[in-house]
Amino acid sequence: MKRLLRGSLAVAAAAAGFWLASSVTAADAPPAVLDALFPNGRETVPLAALAERVTLAPGEDFRVIELARDANTSQHLVAIQGAEIPHRHDRHDLLVVMLRGHGRMRLGAEQRPVGEGSILYVPRGAVHAFRNESPEPAVAYAIYVPAFDGKDRVEVP
């Protein structure tokens, strides 16, 4: 009898746990955020609001703004309407998180579709270029390691 009772309690507990987990809806979940300890303090901002921080002026196709930097990294927001020229960074690794929009990313010799939420790792020396296929500018969060010096961009055919 005790074994049966313990088994029933285990089944009931598992069912309750499943019910609780399934009752949480997307509306109950917190928004996706950037939560970072930058040298000038902690910053927590919803990703949708982060994407709004970089806008293109009329006639402008590409814009990069720096959010923060430390001794080892720099963090940037990138907005692009058209397409990048294929290029590489010989002294910097790059991690990109697509915040808004979609398109195709050339990484090495291949091009693949990417969209919101995509995470792209570009090791130093790898040829890469993004082509926006969205009607609005695409926006990405980019992290360079080491901190980007503004000089390490080599265009390639």
Side-chain angles (χ1 to χ4, degrees):
M1 181 68 169
K2 285 183 182 178
R3 184 178 285 159
L4 180 60
L5 183 57
R6 273 185 273 163
S8 296
L9 287 174
V11 169
F18 176 75
W19 177 81
L20 284 172
S22 65
S23 67
V24 176
T25 65
D28 298 328
V33 299
L34 166 69
D35 190 5
L37 273 177
F38 291 137
N40 60 345
R42 185 173 191 161
E43 182 161 1
T44 304
V45 59
L47 295 184
L50 187 63
E52 297 300 322
R53 289 188 182 180
V54 59
T55 57
L56 296 176
E60 189 177 31
D61 270 350
F62 186 80
R63 184 171 197 189
V64 178
I65 62 168
E66 185 174 297
L67 293 174
R69 74 174 41 236
D70 58 28
N72 301 307
T73 67
S74 60
Q75 298 82 36
H76 307 263
L77 288 174
V78 181
I80 185 167
Q81 182 62 50
E84 290 183 288
I85 295 170
H87 63 283
R88 69 176 192 267
H89 305 286
D90 292 333
R91 296 180 310 277
H92 295 85
D93 297 315
L94 175 61
L95 183 71
V96 178
V97 179
M98 292 294 300
L99 300 177
R100 184 175 64 206
H102 63 276
R104 298 192 68 73
M105 180 71 171
R106 174 181 172 183
L107 186 52
E110 295 181 47
Q111 289 193 38
R112 297 200 177 158
V114 296
E116 291 180 19
S118 294
I119 300 171
L120 312 162
Y121 171 65
V122 183
R124 61 189 70 195
V127 175
H128 60 284
F130 175 75
R131 174 178 301 284
N132 183 18
E133 296 175 348
S134 309
E136 298 294 320
V139 178
Y141 175 66
I143 304 167
Y144 286 91
V145 179
F148 191 62
D149 60 7
K151 301 173 187 172
D152 181 26
R153 182 182 167 100
V154 180
E155 292 183 5
V156 296

